[in-house]
Amino acid sequence: MKLSQDWLVKQSVEQRPALLVVLLLQCAYIACKIGVLWALAVGFDALLIQHQSLRVETLKILLVSSIGMSVAYAVLAQVRMRLKMTYQLSIHQQLSKVLSQASQHQIRAQSMYSWQQVWLQHIPTVANYLFDFVVQKWFSALVPLVLIVIITSINWLIGVALILTLPLLPVFMILVGKGTAHRHQAHFQALTDLGTLFADRLRNSKLLAQFQQHDTQAKILDKASAAYNIKTMHVLTFAFVSSSLLDFFSTLSIAIIAVYIGFSLLGEIDFGISIQFVDGMFILLVVPLLFAELKRLGQLYHQKEAAVAASGVVQELMTPPDEEKDAAKESACRAINQIFELMQSKSTTRSHWIALTGPSGAGKTRLLQGMLELLLNTPLLHQSKVAMLTQESVILPGSIRDNVCLDREYPTAEIIHVLTQVGLAEWLLQQPQGLATLMGDYPPLSGGEARRLALARVMLLDVDIVMLDEPTAFLTAQLHTEISTLIHNVLQDKHVIWVSHKSLPPTWFNEQWRIDDCGELSL
Amino acid sequence: MIDRLTRPWFSFGIGVIHQIAGLLLVIFATWFLAACATATVGFNYMLPAVAIRALALTRIASGYGHLWWGHQRLFVRLRQTRSALFARLKNTILTGNAELETQLEQDTLSVAGAWVNWLVQHASVVLGLLLCQVIIIIFTPHDALIWGGFALTLSLVWAMLLWQSYAVVRALVSTQTALRNNINHTLNSASLWHLYAQVPTINPTQYWQVYFQLQGQVQRGIVFLLVLTSAGLVYTLTHIPEDMLGNALLVIPSVIFLAAQDWAVVGFQAQPELLTFQQSQQRLQQTPGIELKPDGNNELSADRIQSIQWSKISLPFRCVTCPDIRIKKGIPLWITGSSGAGKSSLLQIMQGMYPQYALCQINGHQRHDGYHNSWQLVQQHPTLLYTSLEDNLRMGDTTLTDEQLQQMLCAVGLNKLTNQLNSWIGGSARQLSGGEIKRFALARALLRQPEVLLIDEPFEGLDSHNQMRIFALISDYATHHCVVIATHLFPVNVDQGLTLNLDDVI
């Protein structure tokens, strides 16, 4: 919570020049609006008191302010959107950079849905918060101050009355904040709780059908909804009071000022200062502005809540995890050193095969991932090319060619050669459009065939080291033998590190590595 | 009484009163000031002053009332919408992607909220336009046409922008789906990134552009409103008939145009709300799912099942036909094959989830089609209901005693849960590990004592000790019932007996 709020503050500091531009445009808009109101008051004065039509100067002010107001609003809207877009893209770029260096482990740590929410929801939410809420926060403090100065210079009595309420303004701000926060909390808590229950029952549609529990659960849901409704309304009854306060003050001030100025004009009440019609009219027209911006801040308040939640997610993704000096990383370093020694020493044959074993949960996958990261992110090591085959074979929705080549280009003959080597030649012939056949969401591949395709992918790349992380997991014993023999045959001339739970012929390996329960690696 | 107050028209009316009272207050207060300035002797100032205070109080009270009843209404609608959706989805298995349920939950929220967020706002704008027309016709008839023209133009622009926004919203939905797929595919292939020359990146630009395009529509509408009202303001101030000069009523049209800048804005601001509402409504009506047709044949459980035969089986998404399958009480059938071979689909077909994919005969003669909900299928990745542990276990049979539940938990090796029957599991509550959920689901299924038990991958993710325990439990159950087990791995030293290898079929 603290971290994410710090991050938000940092963002608003970094974006300050852009935010000031937006603020300036908002000020231009409100200045023009005040101009319109002034011209209107002067116009009414001419028409009502002096029985004349509008003077040319008044008309000029009215026209210029009106046009200025529309133009300022249009520019403001455009600029605000442009800035938001630029900001969102910059966050996206930072995030992409972090992502490209993230480990698979980090990516798997979140569900696909929460990843999607980052771009669909969280990044735009932070942008909205900065360019709507933060600007509005400054603006709603600025406008009342300026207006009170103007009003005081016209009529000090009303000015003083408003100044006396001035200390109330921070109180308003807090009330708006707290009131809305309280309301949002109660409101959202209830909705979230109910929503969780509802979504859970929808998610378990299979279970409910199987146990014929639908009607029972429908009753439970309905009862829970009713109970929540009553409870929440009780909480909200009080929370609404604080959010109605602003409406209360703004409405009341219009009524009181109208009656006070009206009676002063009639001479019914006299506090020793006379008031001109034009001034009175202007004050009446301008007073709603005093509260309008605060009200708008209250309306935008939900953005703050959402932004804190969103920034928590984004900030966590953007800050790379601490350089933990854990055992896994150290082991990875040692393992890599060992491999390089082997590669350089003349005594080793051209290829070297290592079996890595250890109980489940000891961190074999972590070790391989750590080695892969080190090899990819250390420039010196990068020259030796490395590939890894994981437990699950990923099939992309693109064509077979895309699946094998990824973003590189290879001659067709070479691709077909490799696919033949992994035993997919016959399968390829069955595909309607050959290499151009799209795999789609339901690729026409059996578990074994998918492994072969993944193997072909690695073979096309000219790598020195291949790391295998249980490439035959989820296969039957028979297929395990078939696929591992194939791997053994095609990767003969590479350096291989092979993690497997299933048995492999020991004769294939030059060396055995072991990880014990504590994650300690013995070479 | 309370019931009547939660009726839609009440919250609706109070919301409209709130808006209208605000509008009237501004008009009346300005007129009052002008009237005071131009007052002749005998001007009754007390009555308007009281009226102003009354309007202010009405506005304040109705403002609070609108908040209160609006939310009350929102909650009532939410309850109705969800109950209706849930009732419609009886015996339907949702087939959408993982976020479908969350999406549906949001959709019910937006449908329920349409009342407060959209309908009241738009009704207030329309009523405001009409009310102003009436006021102008009565007090300053010379401006009646200009206001009428303004109201008409505004409505037309409003409708036109809404019409245009439809296309944008369609684009928004399609670019959103594209972005979702883009993110899924990019991140799912994370294990391949190191093989790429250039690490693939996510591209949200298009979706964001359309998103801002929609916002731009709203802003364009507001700018149009500003220009139109400003023109109206200038016109009304410069076209005052000679005989109106000095008459306090002449302020009315100008103030109405000025005030329209504030209250008519919501007509444009609430537009995206309307479009979201429509999208949500559509999604709620066309929820993707498979409707199960229950066999409705429960008397069979009395006439014990001795054997079942499935014939003419075809596996979805695989263009192969499967040999007929016949199982007998006392002899479990093992279906084996690598992941992706179709074991899970086959089990679902056996339970009758897709009656079109197989013919089912029981005890050699009776045809028995439809979804057999008295049989139990333990999923490969079972789910828990977000409720208490005991309610989860008693789903099939509410008469089970605590002792029976505890006994069954011990049988599957979940002894540590036996003293926590009241605690909640699933959802955001206590999480069980994958292996624990598997065993829990098996316990839940066994408690129902089904005639036919179908189990998907019961050994995956269990250590060898638990594998043996579960194997013993299943074997024991299989001696008196029909049991089918789909698995790619076998606990050591297992006599497999009757086996079907799907790798050979494909």
Side-chain angles (χ1 to χ4, degrees), chain A residues 10-27:
Chain A
K10 210 180 116 219
Q11 292 300 306
S12 65
V13 171
E14 272 173 22
Q15 295 295 317
R16 188 156 286 166
L19 296 180
L20 283 176
V21 170
V22 178
L23 182 69
L24 218 63
L25 282 167
Q26 283 204 347
C27 289

Side-chain angles (χ1 to χ4, degrees), chain B residues 134-282:
Chain B
V134 172
I135 292 174
I136 287 180
I137 288 176
I138 293 174
F139 296 109
T140 53
H142 62 277
D143 278 332
L145 266 182
I146 192 78
W147 178 261
F150 165 76
L152 206 66
T153 319
L154 192 70
S155 311
L156 281 177
V157 170
W158 184 82
M160 202 183 73
L161 274 180
L162 196 64
W163 179 254
Q164 282 180 358
S165 299
Y166 269 115
V168 184
V169 167
R170 258 198 298 274
L172 192 71
V173 172
S174 73
T175 47
Q176 191 188 50
T177 314
L179 179 57
R180 278 188 198 278
N181 288 336
N182 176 225
I183 294 172
N184 281 358
H185 292 144
T186 312
L187 295 179
N188 269 332
S189 63
S191 62
L192 301 182
W193 286 357
H194 68 282
L195 302 176
Y196 277 84
Q198 196 77 46
V199 175
T201 53
I202 289 155
N203 183 8
T205 321
Q206 224 186 352
Y207 169 68
W208 284 345
Q209 265 164 1
V210 180
Y211 168 82
F212 282 119
Q213 200 184 334
L214 189 64
Q215 309 251 309
Q217 298 267 35
V218 174
Q219 300 300 337
R220 219 175 303 157
I222 295 176
V223 169
F224 193 81
L225 175 74
L226 283 178
V227 171
L228 220 56
T229 48
S230 298
L233 202 61
V234 173
Y235 179 87
T236 52
L237 277 178
T238 48
H239 291 73
I240 306 263
E242 282 291 325
D243 58 331
M244 282 288 281
L245 285 177
N247 186 342
L249 290 175
L250 66 80
V251 300
I252 291 178
S254 310
V255 169
I256 282 179
F257 270 112
L258 182 74
Q261 290 180 353
D262 294 326
W263 58 259
V265 158
V266 288
F268 293 102
Q269 279 172 344
Q271 265 191 12
E273 210 75 52
L274 169 66
L275 297 165
T276 336
F277 164 73
Q278 292 232 321
Q279 292 284 331
S280 296
Q281 187 96 330
Q282 216 169 23

Side-chain angles (χ1 to χ4, degrees), chain A residues 47 73 88 92 113 116 119 200 204 210 212-215 222 233 237 268 388 407-408 474 479, chain B residues 45 64 68 83 86 90 180 184 194-195 198 202 219 338-339 351 373 375 377 383 386 395 448:
Chain A
L47 294 166
Y73 191 90
Q88 287 180 198
H92 163 67
Y113 180 69
Q116 290 173 2
W119 284 272
D200 181 74
N204 282 303
Q210 170 130 55
Q212 289 157 288
Q213 280 280 301
H214 189 278
D215 297 332
D222 197 53
M233 282 317 290
T237 303
E268 285 298 318
M388 180 155 151
D407 63 343
R408 290 184 169 84
F474 313 114
L479 263 177
Chain B
Y45 50 84
Y64 182 83
W68 204 91
S83 292
F86 198 68
K90 184 173 179 177
R180 278 188 198 278
N184 281 358
H194 68 282
L195 302 176
Q198 196 77 46
I202 289 155
Q219 300 300 337
S338 304
S339 73
Q351 203 192 8
N373 47 20
W375 302 1
L377 168 59
T383 50
Y386 177 47
M395 274 175 68
R448 207 181 174 196

Side-chain angles (χ1 to χ4, degrees), chain B residues 22-129:
Chain B
L23 175 64
L24 284 180
L25 177 67
V26 172
I27 297 173
F28 206 70
T30 328
W31 169 80
F32 177 69
L33 211 63
C36 287
T38 57
T40 48
V41 187
F43 171 60
N44 182 358
Y45 50 84
M46 285 322 272
L47 201 64
V50 171
I52 285 177
R53 292 186 193 121
L55 274 174
L57 290 179
T58 311
R59 159 112 182 146
I60 292 166
S62 60
Y64 182 83
H66 177 49
L67 267 180
W68 204 91
W69 273 289
H71 279 79
Q72 174 86 356
R73 181 74 205 140
L74 168 76
F75 287 132
V76 171
R77 279 276 292 165
L78 190 62
R79 182 179 160 193
Q80 287 168 351
T81 318
R82 286 190 174 159
S83 292
L85 175 68
F86 198 68
R88 199 167 61 69
L89 292 180
K90 184 173 179 177
N91 280 325
T92 303
I93 290 176
L94 296 180
T95 50
N97 35 18
E99 59 267 16
L100 179 69
E101 299 86 15
T102 323
Q103 180 72 60
L104 284 178
E105 185 234 313
Q106 290 296 318
D107 284 340
T108 54
L109 203 56
S110 112
V111 167
W115 191 269
V116 186
N117 295 334
W118 175 75
L119 199 63
V120 173
Q121 314 275 7
H122 279 79
S124 305
V125 174
V126 172
L127 279 177
L129 287 175

